[in-house]
Each structure stands twice: as C-alpha cells, then as structure tokens.
Amino acid sequence: MQEDKYADAAKHDKNKGGFGMKLVKKDDFLNFVNTLIKNDSRTVVGVKSKRNKFIYDTLNSADELRLEYDVTMLSPNKYFLPPTETLLRYDFTGKFSVQAVNEVTPLIIIGIHPYDLIAIEQMDKVFKDSNPDYNYIRKREASILIGTNIQNVSSYAFSGSMGAATTDRGFDLMLTNIGDKYAIEIGSIKGKNLIEKYAKVSEADNDTTREVQRIKTEIGSKFEKQLNFSSEELPKLLEENYDNELWEKNAQKCLSCGSCNFVCPTCYCFDVQDITELNLKTGERIRTWDGCLLEDFAKVATGENFRKDRAARYRHRFMRKGKYLYDKFGFIACIGCGRCASSCLPDIADPCKVFNSLKEVIE
C-alpha cells in the first residue's frame, strides 16, 4: 500500500506538468557547479558554512557548497531586496538631474530550501501585484533558482505545519539527494537550458520518481515542532485574540532590536532617505531594511508614533504574518523556517509557540 501511495503521488506530480526529471551523479553535479562558476556569465551563489552557521554567499568552488544544511542565517531574498540599496542619484550642479539606479547582478542561486522558495513566491506577489517595484522585479528576472529538498531540519523550524516543507513550483531546478546521485526536477525553460548546456545527466525512471516522492512525503515528519491546529485557522485565531494579554506579557521582555524582522524571509518593510553629500551638489536616494519591532518604525514627520508601545509593535508583527497579509494577498506570511525564534535573545519571537498559546487560551 505504501508503494502504491508514492506511485499515485508521483503520477499526480507528473500530471502537474513541468519539464521532467533527470539524474546526475554527485561527482558530475560538482563538475556542473564548477563549470557554472568558471564559464557562466552569472555569479554563482550557494549555501556555505560560516563557523557553526550557514549563509548564502558567492561560491568560489563547488566544494564550498553545503546542501545538507538545516537553515541559513538569512534567506536568498537579500539578493532581491538588499539591506541597503541606491534607488536614484541626483545632481544639483547646473541643471538639476535625476538618474534612476538599479544595480542588477544576474545570479544562479544553489541550495534553496522549499520554504524559502515559497517565501520568494510570496514576495514576488507583493512586489509585482500592487505597486510594481522594478528594482526587485529586474533582480528576480535575472536570477536562476536551484532548490534542494530538506535533508536536515532546524530544531526551531515548523515548516511542515505551514505547508512549506516541500513545493512543486517556484524553482528552475530542484535537487533531491538519493544516495550517490541527485534527482533533478526541472521547473522552467531557464532550468532546462542550464542543464542542457552544462550538466551531464541521464533520464530518471519511474523508480526514481517514486523514490523522490517518498522522500518528499517523509520530510514533513522530520519537524520536531508543529502547530497544534491547522494553519488555515490563523487569521480567525488572531482576530479573536487581538486583545489577548499574551501580547503585553511577552512584550515586557522584547528588546525592540528588530532581529526577528531582519531574518524573516517574508518581512519586506523598508525606509527611504535622501542622502545629500557635504558638497550640497550631489546625493542619493537609498532604501534600507526597516522593521515593525523598531521603536521609530511607525513614527511620522510631525513626531507622532502610531505604535509607540512595545506590546502594540509585538502584536503587529504576528497580526501581519497571520492576518493582515492574508487579508490582502491570500497567504499566511510565515513559512515556519524558525529564523526569528533562533535569533530572539528573550525567546519571545517563536510564531509556533505564540500561535499554539493563543489556541490554548480559546479552547
């Protein structure tokens, strides 16, 4: 029965379309990455180790790649919405002039976990749907995303509860570790072309397809943490708990440092400032990451602060993740990566813990 389940799931997957599946030996995969680094015009980025953590950074060799990682410190969204970015340059010398700026570095990003691919899809919707942000859009269009199914799970993660442990879309290529080979799902023309140009691959048979489906099905059971209810209940749960005393209680420990915002792959708020040079002749308009936990986040030019209290700022973050963005875009803006929980010194940022506590209160 178990085998039939995976066969049916694989058949269902196949019916979704796509560009098929290939197999590559691990040595050949390393050669593929080294060839990209050496011959492709795009910058190759991948997951590397940094002390006892993992980060996305430029690869100098395929040997640096760590596809067995649990979670990276920041998501690959940092390449599409950089922490600091120049939007335009202006010049008062002679006739006033303004030049739009978009510094795009075409990238091949290797090793993205499914939850981060889903976060990128959400940010695509945010930056394309309402007010198109061409700085973001151009960077995304110039990128190739190579995902990898999760091998090791962070102890802070609960992506299985958020429907983000695996994904069938959002990637150009997706790797699955099947022993001495990787199965490669091809998700786009860009991915197909990359494989055809640089990789030594063979066709995947039905047994491989079933094995990949078995591995993907079992990933969900690897998470130690989970919501005690369906994530679909979150918008209503948060609405009913807007005045819950938990916000005030937890906020008493909050340092207002914004760490939970800055590591989150679905936080996208930013500040924009004009920085004029001391010569008063030239300057730049820059945007930098901002976060709703920071005290001045909701402060306006006339001095009023619409969320001066820590409790209001603390509550706002969770309401935005599970209610406000759901109302606007139709998705829960938490993919259960656990980065916020692992970066919070007072241990109050964990969405899984907070959501489960709210659920217990109303039951």
Side-chain angles (χ1 to χ4, degrees), residues 136-206:
Y136 175 93
I137 292 170
R138 298 289 179 256
K139 291 181 177 66
R140 276 286 291 117
E141 289 175 342
S143 65
I144 288 184
L145 307 183
I146 301 180
T148 183
N149 277 311
I150 300 170
Q151 297 180 44
N152 292 298
V153 172
S154 164
S155 59
Y156 293 97
F158 59 105
S159 301
S161 298
M162 305 307 292
T166 62
T167 184
D168 296 321
R169 62 180 191 274
F171 53 82
D172 296 297
L173 300 172
M174 173 62 86
L175 307 170
T176 303
N177 180 12
I178 56 170
D180 61 347
K181 300 182 180 70
Y182 289 112
I184 307 178
E185 293 172 74
I186 302 174
S188 72
I189 287 289
K190 286 197 293 187
K192 181 173 180 289
N193 291 341
L194 199 71
I195 286 291
E196 289 178 350
K197 187 173 182 179
Y198 293 117
K200 182 181 177 182
V201 297
S202 58
E203 293 295 327
D205 57 19
N206 290 336

Side-chain angles (χ1 to χ4, degrees), residues 64-214:
E64 297 175 326
L65 198 56
R66 297 288 300 274
L67 295 181
E68 81 286 5
Y69 74 97
D70 52 2
V71 68
T72 54
M73 294 176 69
L74 293 176
S75 83
N77 276 331
K78 67 178 182 177
Y79 295 112
F80 312 130
L81 182 67
T84 301
E85 181 178 22
T86 300
L87 300 179
L88 58 84
R89 295 191 177 95
Y90 50 86
D91 190 339
F92 295 108
T93 306
K95 187 178 180 181
F96 177 68
S97 64
V98 178
Q99 178 189 10
V101 177
N102 189 4
E103 295 173 346
V104 178
T105 301
L107 298 174
I108 299 173
I109 306 177
I110 304 175
I112 308 172
H113 276 170
Y115 50 78
D116 276 337
L117 288 166
I118 291 171
I120 291 171
E121 279 194 302
Q122 292 185 355
M123 294 304 96
D124 286 352
K125 190 172 181 62
V126 168
F127 285 108
K128 290 179 179 177
D129 271 14
S130 49
N131 296 303
D133 186 314
Y134 292 103
N135 279 51
Y136 175 93
I137 292 170
R138 298 289 179 256
K139 291 181 177 66
R140 276 286 291 117
E141 289 175 342
S143 65
I144 288 184
L145 307 183
I146 301 180
T148 183
N149 277 311
I150 300 170
Q151 297 180 44
N152 292 298
V153 172
S154 164
S155 59
Y156 293 97
F158 59 105
S159 301
S161 298
M162 305 307 292
T166 62
T167 184
D168 296 321
R169 62 180 191 274
F171 53 82
D172 296 297
L173 300 172
M174 173 62 86
L175 307 170
T176 303
N177 180 12
I178 56 170
D180 61 347
K181 300 182 180 70
Y182 289 112
I184 307 178
E185 293 172 74
I186 302 174
S188 72
I189 287 289
K190 286 197 293 187
K192 181 173 180 289
N193 291 341
L194 199 71
I195 286 291
E196 289 178 350
K197 187 173 182 179
Y198 293 117
K200 182 181 177 182
V201 297
S202 58
E203 293 295 327
D205 57 19
N206 290 336
D207 287 343
T208 301
T209 305
R210 280 194 290 270
E211 175 64 3
V212 168
Q213 194 56 49
R214 182 192 68 77

Side-chain angles (χ1 to χ4, degrees), residues 18-33:
F19 298 85
M21 184 181 292
K22 304 289 184 182
L23 273 176
V24 60
K25 295 178 182 175
K26 288 191 171 176
D27 285 345
D28 289 334
F29 177 74
L30 295 178
N31 291 334
F32 166 64
V33 174

